[in-house]
Amino acid sequence: MDLTNLNLNKDRNKMRRKPPVDLSTMVYGKIPPQAKELEEAVLGAIMLEKSAFDTVVEILKPECFYLEGHQRIYRAMQGLAQKSQPIDILTVVEELKTRQELEMVGGPYYVTKLTNAVVSSANIETHARIILQKFIQRELIRISGEIIGDAYEDSTDVFDLLDDAESKLFEITNNHLRKNFDSIDSVLVKTIARIEDLRHKQDEITGVPSGFPSLDKITYGWQNTDLIILAARPAVGKTAFALNLARNAALNASKPTSVAFFSLEMSSAQLVQRILSAEAEIFMEKIARGRLEEHEMKQLYKKGIDRLAKAPIFIDDTPALNIFELRAKCRRLKNKHNVGFIIIDYLQLMSGAGDNRNGNREQEISQISRALKGLAKELQVPIIALSQLSRAVESRKEGEKIPQLSDLRESGAIEQDADMVMFLYRPEYYGITANEMGESNKGETHVKIAKHRNGSLDTVKLRALLHIQKFTEYGEDDFGGIGVPSGGSWKPVQGEGGDGAKLYIQAGSRMKDVPMDDDDTPF
């Protein structure tokens, strides 16, 4: 082939190719989206029809109007409505005179002219929603331009840029795309359908099961849209209990649920070690130190790793997570993996939307708890948020250290926003080693439901086996000392503890048949 012709063909191909698109031509040099005629029609309809303003006020705010004059007129209408005065041509003109804005909008002639743009208010809601759409388009263009400008700045932190972009987009959604009310007949249809569905269900659990029958008997499972607060003093076992809830939900045979676990305190590796310890029933300390014997490694693989590898549990260990990042992550997990249960460990380690320059931590926690409740409603999933208790518990005298709602740390808004508040309480945490009958209460854990918006209040007794990071039912077959995990792989030791309680240890361990005192709990 002739090289000259080949070069000519290449040049022609280059000429045919479209030049690279400059993003700025898509944003700048064009008239912003607007609907001036519809704005005139809406303002005119409000002055003609008495009930028109009530329809529009739920959809539009003054800034939604493109023309500044229209914004001023709409604000004048809002002022009249707040003073319970009628809205018509004369009252609007007088209100604008009072505000010294009449000439700014075009005088009485322009206000009168607006009523000529519309015959009736029959389609005012549709017109208002079109105006809102145009406003949102303008806002998206504005925000996109700001993001583009910030992205070109070398001094901009990329994570701050992402957070800022997401917060601005959420602000549009939160301020201008609110859900309208439902008529009772439409809600009745959905409610009756749900009641009929529950009637024909054999299982009494209507939500995400906790894995503890005594607890599910009160809650009927964790219900969609509920915000549940799980609170306790440090080292009582909040994280271990939360991991048990996550594991039980994900590995439930009849109703497995995808779980998102956000840990702001511990790394994902540490959490997985704890889950493995509970699932394989191997001492946590042995797993953490890697001091496992051959039979324990086999047990770890067979009972732990093989089962957990298929569990739909998603762990995020991002430290100092703020509410916007959490919301974005949860939405993505919901869309991609249909997550049906969210756990956050723990609430006081989260940060709010702003930089909290005023240092008012109580307001920030209030904002976070409200946002979590809103997120539960938006995603239609239950959210469990762990929380610390204040030191007020410690200052109370002996026998009165059971937590109360007033002990929730840093904000009363947590109590207000939560659908359920649960407290974990272990008597041995405060040196109480025996119950009123003189029997050992080692591992005894009370789950106190102090607030239950849709059910009863009660206290459930469980057994904490914290050496294997596991909680079990406090059944008749349980004893003091280490306790008996479910699964039947533990055997009694030859002998009894110092308080007469029988002791249990893993079958196959070389430590069996060795009597131990109650204080000599292994690992």
Side-chain angles (χ1 to χ4, degrees):
M1 182 180 286
D2 187 5
L3 291 176
T4 305
N5 292 333
L6 183 61
N7 290 332
L8 286 171
N9 289 333
K10 285 183 179 178
D11 291 339
R12 289 194 191 100
N13 290 334
K14 287 180 182 177
M15 292 175 66
R16 289 194 193 106
R17 290 176 191 160
K18 293 181 179 178
V21 179
D22 182 6
L23 188 60
S24 63
T25 61
M26 300 172 65
V27 181
Y28 307 109
K30 292 190 176 182
I31 299 174
Q34 56 186 284
K36 288 189 286 186
E37 295 82 5
L38 290 179
E39 290 181 10
E40 293 174 357
V42 166
L43 293 173
I46 292 172
M47 290 186 285
L48 288 175
E49 194 73 38
K50 184 178 180 180
S51 60
F53 181 77
D54 294 333
T55 303
V56 174
V57 75
E58 292 185 359
I59 303 170
L60 297 178
K61 294 183 178 180
E63 62 267 23
C64 295
F65 291 87
Y66 179 67
L67 295 181
E68 187 179 347
H70 291 171
Q71 293 180 12
R72 294 179 185 276
I73 292 171
Y74 190 70
R75 285 196 187 95
M77 292 174 173
Q78 283 183 324
L80 291 169
Q82 288 170 1
K83 292 182 282 188
S84 300
Q85 294 182 5
I87 302 174
D88 55 33
I89 297 174
L90 297 177
T91 55
V92 169
V93 168
E94 287 301 316
E95 181 68 18
L96 287 168
K97 281 182 183 178
T98 304
R99 294 169 178 254
Q100 298 182 344
E101 295 179 349
L102 183 59
E103 297 306 320
M104 296 180 187
V105 304
Y109 170 75
Y110 185 79
V111 177
T112 306
K113 180 186 169 186
L114 290 173
T115 58
N116 298 329
V118 63
V119 177
S120 74
S121 63
N123 301 317
I124 191 169
E125 183 175 351
T126 303
H127 295 164
R129 294 199 180 279
I130 294 172
I131 294 170
L132 177 61
Q133 289 172 17
K134 300 297 182 184
F135 167 72
I136 292 173
Q137 286 177 281
R138 294 197 301 271
E139 284 294 282
L140 289 172
I141 291 170
R142 179 184 64 81
I143 291 170
S144 300
E146 291 176 1
I147 294 169
I148 291 169
D150 291 339
Y152 276 110
E153 293 291 333
D154 292 334
S155 59
T156 306
D157 183 270
V158 67
F159 297 105
D160 289 342
L161 181 61
L162 283 170
D163 181 52
D164 186 52
E166 189 164 0
S167 64
K168 286 177 178 176
L169 289 172
F170 173 74
E171 192 175 345
I172 295 176
T173 305
N174 195 44
N175 292 340
H176 301 287
L177 296 178
R178 294 184 178 274
K179 185 178 180 292
N180 206 348
F181 59 83
D182 292 319
S183 61
I184 192 168
D185 58 338
S186 64
V187 180
L188 277 172
V189 172
K190 297 176 186 175
T191 305
I192 294 299
R194 184 173 183 273
I195 293 171
E196 288 288 347
D197 182 52
L198 294 176
R199 277 187 67 227
H200 295 96
K201 265 187 154 185
Q202 299 294 329
D203 191 2
E204 291 188 0
I205 307 300
T206 59
V208 177
S210 70
F212 302 104
S214 55
L215 186 57
D216 287 334
K217 190 176 180 181
I218 301 170
T219 64
Y220 301 102
W222 313 120
Q223 303 298 317
N224 289 343
T225 75
D226 275 6
L227 173 61
I228 303 125
I229 300 296
L230 174 63
R233 289 293 293 152
V236 170
K238 293 189 302 295
T239 302
F241 186 62
L243 287 171
N244 274 242
L245 297 179
R247 183 173 57 88
N248 293 343
L251 295 176
N252 185 276
S254 60
K255 191 180 179 182
T257 304
S258 295
V259 181
F261 197 105
F262 293 89
S263 175
L264 287 81
E265 186 176 31
M266 300 176 65
S267 70
S268 56
Q270 290 173 318
L271 294 176
V272 170
Q273 284 179 0
R274 287 181 170 222
I275 299 173
L276 275 173
S277 175
E279 188 63 27
E281 296 180 343
I282 297 175
F283 292 139
M284 172 62 197
E285 188 168 335
K286 298 189 77 174
I287 292 177
R289 293 171 60 193
R291 302 299 185 188
L292 299 177
E293 299 181 27
E294 190 62 35
H295 70 276
E296 291 172 327
M297 281 302 298
K298 290 179 181 177
Q299 184 173 326
L300 188 69
Y301 273 97
K302 186 176 180 181
K303 293 187 64 178
I305 295 173
D306 289 350
R307 287 198 71 201
L308 289 173
K310 302 172 185 175
I313 300 176
F314 305 92
I315 300 174
D316 186 299
D317 60 359
T318 305
L321 194 67
N322 67 45
I323 190 63
F324 285 125
E325 291 170 333
L326 176 76
R327 188 185 291 112
K329 288 172 184 283
C330 289
R331 284 172 180 157
R332 287 195 290 270
L333 284 168
K334 179 69 174 178
N335 292 332
K336 190 173 181 181
H337 300 288
N338 194 29
V339 161
F341 187 27
I342 297 170
I343 301 176
I344 301 160
D345 182 18
Y346 61 89
L347 189 65
Q348 279 78 14
L349 289 178
M350 288 188 68
S351 57
D355 54 8
N356 197 28
R357 288 177 183 173
N358 296 328
N360 193 329
R361 182 61 177 162
E362 185 173 340
Q363 289 183 1
E364 189 174 23
I365 291 292
S366 301
Q367 180 192 42
I368 292 168
S369 66
R370 281 194 297 270
L372 288 178
K373 175 58 184 174
L375 183 63
K377 288 181 67 178
E378 177 189 339
L379 300 184
Q380 292 287 302
V381 300
I383 294 179
I384 291 185
L386 277 59
S387 176
Q388 292 279 21
L389 291 177
S390 68
R391 290 191 179 90
V393 182
E394 313 296 339
S395 62
R396 293 199 288 268
K397 62 184 181 181
E398 203 71 37
E400 297 181 2
K401 296 187 183 293
I402 297 175
Q404 339 177 354
L405 288 172
S406 59
D407 296 326
L408 284 169
R409 186 175 163 188
E410 288 183 317
S411 178
I414 300 176
E415 173 190 346
Q416 176 184 322
D417 296 324
D419 297 280
M420 185 186 299
V421 177
M422 299 188 300
F423 296 117
L424 285 188
Y425 168 74
R426 283 195 294 120
E428 63 177 317
Y429 184 83
Y430 295 104
I432 304 171
T433 57
N435 59 21
E436 51 277 0
M437 304 293 293
E439 300 169 337
S440 172
N441 58 5
K442 190 169 182 65
E444 180 182 313
T445 303
H446 300 176
V447 182
K448 178 185 176 182
I449 301 176
K451 178 186 178 182
H452 194 185
R453 188 167 282 163
N454 302 308
S456 59
L457 306 180
D458 207 341
T459 299
V460 173
K461 195 182 288 186
L462 301 176
R463 176 80 72 192
L465 310 170
L466 295 183
H467 57 291
I468 59 168
Q469 298 294 299
K470 190 169 186 177
F471 285 77
T472 64
E473 287 285 348
Y474 197 90
E476 294 179 358
D477 295 330
D478 285 327
F479 300 90
I482 298 178
V484 189
S486 60
S489 62
W490 290 53
K491 294 183 178 180
V493 172
Q494 300 294 326
E496 296 183 341
D499 57 359
K502 292 184 179 179
L503 299 177
Y504 285 72
I505 199 161
Q506 283 173 284
S509 171
R510 296 176 185 174
M511 296 181 64
K512 65 181 178 179
D513 300 330
V514 179
M516 293 179 291
D517 292 329
D518 189 52
D519 293 333
D520 295 331
T521 304
F523 309 105

